[in-house]
Amino acid sequence: MQDNDIVFFNLHRRYVNFSPSYGGFMGVYLLAAYLNENGYDAQGYAGQLMEGKKLIDVLCSEQHVSMIGLYCDFENVTETCSISKYIKDKYHLPVIIGGPQATALSKEFYLSSRCDAVVRYEGEETVLELVDCFLDGTIDISQIKGISYLAGDKLQVNDDRAPINNLDALPDIKITDYIDPSRYDKSLAIMTGRGCPFHCAFCHEGHHTKKVRFRSVERVLNEIKCYIAHQEGKRDIHVMFVDDTFTLLPDRVREICAGLNELRQAHDIRWFCEGHIHTLYMHPEMIEYIAAAGCYRIQLGIEAGTQQILDAYRKGSTLEEIFTVVKKCRDAGIREIFSNIIVGGANFTKEIYLSDVEFAKTLIAEGAGTVEIGIVSYWPLPETSITDNPQQYGIKIVDADFVTSVGDFPQVEAGGMSVLEIMQLVRSFSAELDALMRSMLKNNKVPKDRILSWLDTYSFKSGKWWNIFISMPEIYAFYQMLSLGEAVTSDYFDDASIINAHPMRVVSLNEYMEVDEQGNYHLLGVRIGKGIALDTLIFATGKLSVSDIILRLKSKSQYSVYTIENIRQEVLEALCYLEENHLLVYSVL
């Protein structure tokens, strides 16, 4: 650890025993990079609250640090307040706070946290002046635009600061901007532009920063090249484009993708971006560029499955556009197509809910192993159209301060339903989609090649499809054995050679076999019965060929009345049935 003039922290409690990866949390590192570029020593850290507290104690007791910056969003207000007060009480350092929802912090927060200033909106230039103010005394706090602070017992709100127009003037994030360098090594989070021209009714970003500014394509690609060089030969490079408007300009997308394709000739680069439905629908060629350049996951802003709710949210898209874009992303080869649908949002009713469920199922079925949909309850983010005027959208906000939720519980009442009733609908919605995805895997509605691609050595093991896949023992084992080259399916053999193949069951009978009251056996929900099919499964260890199994069964007394041809036919039918249900594969030796 090095001495620093200022260290920036993004700290969250370990909510419901879940630790986010922090891969896309760039803000603290962007600020550190900017301060380092302008003559100060700065670093950033994103992690759990208690890890951060320990780090603050080490920095303040054993290293040199003169000032602390804290990131605040709608979820971590209370911990930000607590850690700010802790720093002020114990170390008496200047503390500044910023982040997407910092503009909505109440006067009580300023009093309780004892922070020295809150930064509104973009922070680089503002934070530099605050460091000049607190550490060098070269500027008075009253002259700094874009901040709020307590002046005595009065909350002083200075004039807003204009957004930064020339984003190329900002430095790239380097590994030295990280207190924990391992976080930098995992993936590159990169923003190609700032601002959003759209005005979704639930979105904080689009409500404020409508002016879009872009970094040059050259700067974006150079940052990726520098990151690759730092990886020193690492084959698997993961890049996250985190801006909301990556797909806004088709020509720019084409240029970025062309540059990525050049880099991919020497490196296995896979990347994520967000896409806007209407712009992708109007310019479908972007989907081809994106897929061909190695995009493995795209997040689409769907949010609803009925046109009236899309219009209420001001999404600027239609159900037909959503369906078309999803199909084109699937056909282009994008492996993961993600979106959310909001339950308990604008003008919500039970009928809306049922329509949303059906539309989501249609998309998942059409995606055939590519589409996953997260089900979320509506979040009343500060300073958005819905939060400012909830009654116009049929919503009653019951927890504007986010004290009852960590993304896991509704904060509004809607459609005559309580938060608990909405919570149950979220659960039911998710359960229906999970059941559909399981059914699609069981019934071979997902192409075999697509499932095998999930098991690639360099595939990213993430997403709802992956989680469901590995939770189904027979499906996972079936495809893993194929992927490893340890086994093949029956279509590897012709009608004559199948008799010499060696069938192998894929799961343990001790662990998964059950018997019902009638004496019929079942394996992971598949009815096996109690005749030749059961004995065929028992002999299917890979040690015997199909021919060997037929002869063994013929020697059993209960099958003595069968002709060899009868047994052969039933064994082949049983093997076909077991394979169709992913309980059996074949050894090639």
Side-chain angles (χ1 to χ4, degrees):
M1 252 181 292
Q2 67 180 46
D3 290 341
N4 281 289
D5 297 301
I6 183 168
V7 180
F8 300 97
F9 288 90
N10 176 358
L11 303 176
H12 289 70
R13 293 188 179 91
R14 190 179 177 86
Y15 306 124
V16 293
N17 199 32
F18 174 75
S19 174
S21 66
Y22 294 96
F25 286 83
M26 297 173 55
V28 293
Y29 306 114
L30 287 166
L31 293 175
Y34 189 76
L35 268 290
N36 286 322
E37 186 84 357
N38 283 276
Y40 289 102
D41 292 321
Q43 288 183 305
Y45 178 83
Q48 281 73 49
L49 175 64
M50 297 312 295
E51 291 176 358
K53 178 181 176 295
K54 292 174 185 176
L55 189 54
I56 288 169
D57 287 336
V58 171
L59 288 168
C60 293
S61 301
E62 302 175 18
Q63 305 289 134
H64 170 78
V65 61
S66 301
M67 188 170 170
I68 300 287
L70 300 174
Y71 170 99
C72 184
D73 62 23
F74 65 93
E75 282 196 330
N76 75 339
V77 173
T78 58
E79 51 263 55
T80 300
C81 183
S82 297
I83 202 71
S84 175
K85 185 177 184 300
Y86 174 79
I87 295 165
K88 297 298 294 183
D89 287 343
K90 187 165 185 177
Y91 299 111
H92 314 292
L93 297 179
V95 175
I96 59 174
I97 293 172
Q101 274 79 48
T103 54
L105 295 172
S106 66
K107 182 178 178 180
E108 287 69 27
F109 176 92
Y110 289 74
L111 291 167
S112 181
S113 69
R114 298 176 52 209
C115 67
D116 295 274
V118 169
V119 179
R120 305 195 308 273
Y121 310 121
E122 289 184 353
E124 286 87 354
E125 293 176 342
T126 304
V127 167
L128 177 59
E129 291 187 7
L130 282 168
V131 177
D132 288 340
C133 171
F134 288 115
L135 300 192
D136 290 346
T138 55
I139 186 172
D140 188 271
I141 193 170
S142 64
Q143 303 304 309
I144 300 175
K145 291 184 177 181
I147 66 168
S148 305
Y149 59 96
L150 285 177
D153 61 353
K154 178 186 176 184
L155 181 59
Q156 176 64 42
V157 180
N158 290 3
D159 291 343
D160 285 344
R161 183 182 295 272
I164 298 170
N165 285 319
N166 182 14
L167 298 184
D168 280 352
L170 300 176
D172 297 340
I173 298 171
K174 304 178 181 65
I175 191 170
T176 51
D177 300 320
Y178 284 68
I179 285 181
D180 179 1
S182 66
R183 299 287 176 92
Y184 178 81
D185 287 333
K186 291 179 180 178
S187 64
L188 174 65
I190 183 169
M191 185 175 289
T192 75
R194 293 183 179 179
C196 181
F198 307 111
H199 51 283
C200 296
F202 52 77
C203 180
H204 184 271
E205 176 74 11
H207 191 70
H208 289 284
T209 53
K210 298 183 184 303
K211 181 180 180 182
V212 182
R213 296 139 292 141
F214 290 107
R215 299 171 67 196
S216 66
V217 172
E218 182 182 7
R219 278 298 303 274
V220 171
L221 294 174
N222 280 340
E223 183 173 355
I224 297 172
K225 290 175 185 176
C226 289
Y227 179 76
I228 292 172
H230 171 75
Q231 299 304 300
E232 298 178 346
K234 178 181 175 183
R235 178 180 171 184
D236 187 16
I237 304 296
H238 181 202
V239 177
M240 298 173 60
F241 293 106
V242 298
D243 38 327
D244 297 324
T245 49
F246 181 82
T247 60
L248 190 61
L249 302 178
D251 288 344
R252 187 168 181 275
V253 171
R254 178 178 50 79
E255 287 185 58
I256 292 175
C257 289
L260 287 169
N261 273 324
E262 287 186 23
L263 294 174
R264 292 179 73 239
Q265 293 179 23
H267 307 280
D268 186 10
I269 302 172
R270 305 187 189 189
W271 49 280
F272 158 87
C273 71
E274 297 190 26
H276 188 266
I277 290 290
H278 184 67
T279 54
L280 290 173
Y281 179 80
M282 296 301 295
H283 302 278
E285 70 278 6
M286 281 197 287
I287 298 172
E288 300 296 331
Y289 302 151
I290 287 168
C295 176
Y296 78 97
R297 181 177 176 90
I298 189 169
Q299 181 164 332
L300 303 174
I302 294 177
E303 325 311 349
T306 59
Q307 192 59 51
Q308 68 186 91
I309 304 304
L310 289 174
D311 294 343
Y313 288 150
R314 302 199 294 259
K315 289 297 299 179
S317 60
T318 67
L319 296 178
E320 179 188 355
E321 289 176 353
I322 293 170
F323 189 76
T324 300
V325 167
V326 165
K327 285 178 59 178
K328 288 185 179 297
C329 288
R330 177 205 66 192
D331 293 344
I334 296 177
R335 290 168 60 156
E336 297 180 14
I337 306 162
F338 177 79
S339 188
N340 288 315
I341 285 184
I342 301 169
V343 173
N347 304 324
F348 187 67
T349 64
K350 189 62 179 292
E351 290 70 31
I352 292 294
Y353 168 81
L354 294 173
S355 296
D356 285 346
V357 171
E358 289 310 306
F359 186 68
K361 287 181 175 180
T362 300
L363 293 178
I364 288 174
E366 190 67 28
T370 61
V371 174
E372 58 181 276
I373 296 176
I375 308 304
V376 298
S377 52
Y378 175 73
W379 291 352
L381 295 176
E383 301 178 320
T384 65
S385 294
I386 295 180
T387 301
D388 289 345
N389 305 283
Q391 67 284 350
Q392 294 182 14
Y393 296 86
I395 284 173
K396 179 182 179 182
I397 299 173
V398 297
D399 178 21
D401 296 325
F402 289 83
V403 297
T404 63
S405 177
V406 289
D408 67 329
F409 190 69
Q411 296 151 283
V412 305
E413 297 174 350
M417 286 173 250
S418 70
V419 290
L420 289 169
E421 289 171 320
I422 292 172
M423 177 201 71
Q424 191 57 48
L425 290 181
V426 172
R427 282 175 49 82
S428 298
F429 200 149
S430 296
E432 287 202 49
L433 298 190
D434 288 356
L436 172 61
M437 294 163 81
R438 289 176 180 277
S439 173
M440 290 174 66
L441 287 170
K442 276 185 131 353
N443 294 300
N444 300 300
K445 299 298 184 182
V446 179
K448 182 166 71 174
D449 289 346
R450 182 165 293 149
I451 297 175
L452 289 172
S453 75
W454 301 344
L455 291 159
D456 287 349
T457 302
Y458 295 100
S459 177
F460 294 102
K461 307 296 192 287
S462 64
K464 179 59 77 68
W465 277 104
W466 172 257
N467 290 333
I468 288 178
F469 173 57
I470 62 175
S471 75
M472 302 175 72
E474 77 283 21
I475 306 290
Y476 180 66
F478 181 93
Y479 284 102
Q480 187 181 45
M481 293 176 77
L482 299 182
S483 176
L484 292 172
E486 292 287 338
V488 295
T489 53
S490 59
D491 54 12
Y492 179 85
F493 307 97
D494 58 27
D495 290 344
S497 61
I498 189 69
I499 201 76
N500 298 314
H502 288 235
M504 303 187 293
R505 56 181 181 261
V506 302
V507 293
S508 165
L509 300 187
N510 282 348
E511 187 172 359
Y512 295 110
M513 185 79 89
E514 297 177 341
V515 60
D516 62 25
E517 293 178 355
Q518 288 73 44
N520 290 304
Y521 285 84
H522 303 259
L523 186 59
L524 290 166
V526 178
R527 187 182 188 278
I528 308 299
K530 51 187 174 183
I532 285 180
L534 175 62
D535 284 328
T536 300
L537 177 64
I538 291 171
F539 279 126
T541 60
K543 299 176 183 180
L544 301 176
S545 69
V546 175
S547 179
D548 294 333
I549 293 172
I550 292 169
L551 293 175
R552 296 252 180 169
L553 293 180
K554 177 60 179 171
S555 69
K556 283 178 169 280
S557 60
Q558 65 264 41
Y559 303 125
S560 60
V561 298
Y562 284 63
T563 67
I564 194 74
E565 184 56 36
N566 290 149
I567 293 176
R568 181 182 187 277
Q569 184 64 32
E570 288 203 30
V571 166
L572 290 175
E573 288 177 1
L575 291 172
C576 181
Y577 174 73
L578 293 169
E579 183 182 354
E580 285 178 352
N581 285 281
H582 307 96
L583 297 175
L584 179 143
V585 289
Y586 292 87
S587 172
V588 290
L589 294 176

